[in-house]
Each structure stands twice: as structure tokens, then as C-alpha cells.
Amino acid sequence: MKFYLCHMSSAYLDVLIGLSYTFLAVSLLCAATREAIASLFQTRAKVLLDGVLTMLHEPTGKSRLRGMLPSLQRLLRLDGGFKLAHLGSAALTAEVMRHPLISGMAQRGRMPSYIPSAIFARAFVSTLTTRYGKGQTAAMLLNQVGNEGLTRTLLAIMGEGPDDAAALENAVRIWYDTVMERISGWYKRRSQFVLFLVGLFYAAAMNIDALQLASRLWKDAGLRDGIVDKAQLVQVSGLPVDTVATALIQTKVAKVQAQELQKLPIGWPSSRFNGVDGVWAFVVALTFALIGWVATAFAASLGSPFWFDGVGWLLALRGTGAKPVAETTVAPTVTISLPTLRK
């Protein structure tokens, strides 16, 4: 009886390891796809521009920058993809973003996806002094902008200290960092939602059904053991470094991951629909398939670091965690692949 309980406990852990390993593979594919899309459409640069509009109290300009045409222009790297001219000649955002300190950080037809706060603050102050002349106090410069919200915000940050261009530049840096921290949090939440949508697409297209996979792992001890071995190799090799790469590199990564997944006997036709007779039976089978796909998509939205850590924790709990690699040992290259859902 004791042996049976231990075996059951080990089987439960192996199923969890198999699911975590599968979700790790899917999340890596989804992350590469999401990054390729973001790079192609310059999503980070667009979000940064929205953040600058928010920071400079010009939120009405956001609606003028949206649309399918600007997205296509950004994709094709054409001028006007960010529609700064639509903000109007008096828009402070457009003038600051056209400053050589900022425009020089990106190629033609593009905008920088990251601007250091010191560079932005210097470009902002330079824009104001170019407009209204040097040798004026910060309050005089801001009052001439005609933006009450921005003026009150920056003067409040400056407080009772010096009222010169240097103090204004420091206030802009503080306000920029504050706003961009909030924008970064919003972008992460949006990216997680995009991961979910991409994961749902791959789950349906490749029939990566979490419920069916769990059942398959529970019934097939050989499959469980094979996945546990692969999971230990993944722990040894480590998670791929998450670096900001070009769209071409991210597209290649996604293509490689998809090719590896396609080598496996998963996908359509699905055994879940085998022997289904009648509309009601088909609806029931489809409902469970949808639940499985949504579960896979939600798991992918948690990100590969989450599942990599989860696999490591489960392996340690199982008592078969991977041994650390010696300094002279080269970690093997591991291709993450999904287990079969077919019997």
C-alpha cells in the first residue's frame, strides 16, 4: 500500500512536470512570435510616444496617431508612420521628438523604442530655449508653453529650489522616469494579453489541448518518463537569454520553434473527436477542447521564466533535480518539443 501511494505521488509530479515542460515550450514560441510582431510594427516606440504625450499633458494627440495606415507605414518603414505632423505645429511632443538628440537615436522611418531620461530632459529644455530664447527662468519658459497642466506639474516637482534651466531639466527627468515606469507596467500587461492571444492561436492551430495532454501523460508512463528526462536537460542547458533582437531574428526563432513542434505527432485530426456521433456529442467534445486550448493559452501568457522555474521546482520536489554543470563542461543544446497527443 505504501509503495502504491509513493508511485501515485510520483505519477502526479511527473504529470505536472510534463505539463510545465509543454507550457514552457509553447510560451517560448509565443514569446518569439510576440517579439517579432512588436519589432515589425515598432510597438515599443509607439507606446513610448503615447507615454510622452501623457507626460506632456497632450493626451488628445493619441487618437490622431492611431489607425491601420500608420501601422502599415511603420511596418514598411515609411516616413509618417508615427504621424507627428498630425499633432499640429504647436504640439510640444512633436517638436521634442523631432529634436536631433532623439531622432538621431533611430533609423529613417523609425523612432527610438527607448530614450534615456537625461537625453529626453536635455532635448525638452533645448526645445523650449530654442522656441523662447535663453537666459529665462524655468517658470517663464513654462508659462510661454501655454500648457497649464505641464507647467503646474514641473513647477511642483521643482519646489522652492532654483528656478533655472538646470533645475527644469532635473524636474523633467524625474517626471519622465515616473511616467515611463507606469507606462512600462501598462505595456507588460498588454504584452501578457498579446501572449494569451498568440497562445490561443497556436493551441487551436496545433491542437495543444492541456486537458487531453494531462490525460495522455497520466495513462502513458513511458511518455511521462521521457518528458521528465527532457525537462532535466532543459534545466541543465538553461533558459534562452531574453534579449531585444531584431524582427528578423525573432521571426527566425519563432520559425525554428514552430518547425520543431510540427515534427511531433500532435495537431489535427484530434483523438478527442474520434467516434463522435451527433451534434450534441460534437458540441461537448468541442467545449472540452476549447477549455484545453484556453488553459494552454493562459499558461503561455505567464511567460517562459515562470515555467522554467516551475519545472526546476517540481524536479527538486521529485528528488531528481538536475545536477549543476561543471565549469569545464559544455551544456548540451536542447530543443524543446511537445509530447504526442495521439495514442
Side-chain angles (χ1 to χ4, degrees), residues 151-299:
T151 300
R152 294 179 60 184
T153 299
L154 295 179
L155 290 179
I157 295 175
M158 292 171 60
E160 300 299 328
D163 187 24
D164 54 11
L168 175 60
E169 185 173 322
N170 185 59
V172 172
R173 291 179 61 178
I174 295 174
W175 182 230
Y176 178 87
D177 288 335
T178 302
V179 173
M180 289 305 151
E181 184 177 355
R182 186 179 63 181
I183 293 297
S184 297
W186 176 85
Y187 180 77
K188 289 179 181 179
R189 291 190 294 272
R190 176 183 175 182
S191 296
Q192 192 171 23
F193 179 69
V194 172
L195 269 181
F196 174 82
L197 294 180
V198 174
L200 186 61
F201 168 78
Y202 281 123
M206 306 178 73
N207 188 33
I208 309 173
D209 185 339
L211 299 181
Q212 191 177 20
L213 176 61
S215 176
R216 184 78 175 90
L217 289 171
W218 179 255
K219 296 176 181 178
D220 194 333
L223 179 61
R224 292 199 307 267
D225 294 339
I227 291 183
V228 170
D229 293 339
K230 291 180 180 180
Q232 293 183 52
L233 291 176
V234 169
Q235 283 292 304
V236 172
S237 61
L239 194 64
V241 179
D242 184 18
T243 57
V244 179
T246 64
L248 180 60
I249 294 176
Q250 294 292 354
T251 303
K252 289 181 178 179
V253 171
K255 182 179 179 181
V256 170
Q257 290 287 346
Q259 288 175 343
E260 293 300 327
L261 297 181
Q262 290 172 357
K263 294 178 182 178
L264 300 170
I266 63 172
W268 302 98
S270 171
S271 59
R272 183 182 291 281
F273 297 95
N274 291 342
V276 173
D277 187 15
V279 176
W280 176 247
F282 175 80
V283 170
V284 172
L286 180 60
T287 299
F288 279 101
L290 288 172
I291 294 174
W293 297 338
V294 170
T296 300
F298 175 77

Side-chain angles (χ1 to χ4, degrees), residues 28-55:
L28 285 172
L29 173 60
C30 294
T33 304
R34 179 200 61 188
E35 291 301 321
I37 294 173
S39 182
L40 286 171
F41 288 95
Q42 304 183 63
T43 305
R44 286 188 177 88
K46 176 61 170 57
V47 171
L48 176 63
L49 181 57
D50 287 346
V52 173
L53 285 167
T54 301
M55 171 193 170

Side-chain angles (χ1 to χ4, degrees), residues 20 22-31 34 191-192 195-196 239 242 296-311:
S20 298
T22 302
F23 296 150
L24 173 61
V26 177
S27 61
L28 285 172
L29 173 60
C30 294
R34 179 200 61 188
S191 296
Q192 192 171 23
L195 269 181
F196 174 82
L239 194 64
D242 184 18
T296 300
F298 175 77
S301 70
L302 297 178
S304 54
F306 176 88
W307 293 112
F308 181 80
D309 293 339
V311 168

